[in-house]
Amino acid sequence: MTFSLSKTVVSLEGEQLYTFEYAALMTETSITLVKFYAELGVIEPIGSMLHPREIARIAQIQRLRQDLGLNLVGAAMVLDMATEIAQLRAQLKVYQSDQF
């Protein structure tokens, strides 16, 4: 198995993007699983590349599945809810700071 570790590109926003192969290596999964997550919409690739946050999401999903025994849908839902809660907390903080 050959990994394309040097295959990275920079997005229009100046952020580093990585190959599915690199994501599989970093998350100790398979390229097939990374592609499966992309096909299901669990991660959002940019073409055939991944933003570091998507690689982190794969790792988080794997931990939730292994540590808590969640299925893929459950793990994705937990991460989506955690993101939404963080966004709501940030909005609430801005709202509260505007009140004083």
Side-chain angles (χ1 to χ4, degrees):
M1 182 181 290
T2 304
F3 288 100
S4 306
L5 295 180
S6 62
K7 291 220 174 188
T8 59
V9 297
V10 177
S11 72
L12 295 175
E13 294 80 26
E15 298 172 313
Q16 197 83 18
L17 301 175
Y18 299 92
T19 62
F20 284 16
E21 293 86 358
Y22 179 82
L25 181 64
M26 291 295 100
T27 58
E28 299 179 354
T29 59
S30 68
I31 298 166
T32 303
L33 185 64
V34 174
K35 289 179 180 178
F36 181 65
Y37 284 0
E39 289 170 9
L40 290 177
V42 175
I43 58 171
E44 298 177 12
I46 301 169
S48 62
M49 304 298 283
L50 292 171
H51 189 277
R53 73 176 159 265
E54 299 303 324
I55 297 173
R57 185 173 170 88
I58 294 168
Q60 292 169 328
I61 288 170
Q62 291 302 104
R63 276 196 300 278
L64 288 169
R65 294 185 76 196
Q66 292 168 359
D67 295 349
L68 299 179
L70 297 178
N71 64 22
L72 178 58
V73 173
M77 287 178 64
V78 165
L79 292 179
D80 290 344
M81 286 189 291
T83 300
E84 188 171 342
I85 289 169
Q87 290 170 343
L88 289 170
R89 283 183 175 158
Q91 289 173 352
L92 180 60
K93 190 174 183 178
V94 168
Y95 176 76
Q96 289 173 335
S97 67
D98 287 345
Q99 298 300 309
F100 298 108

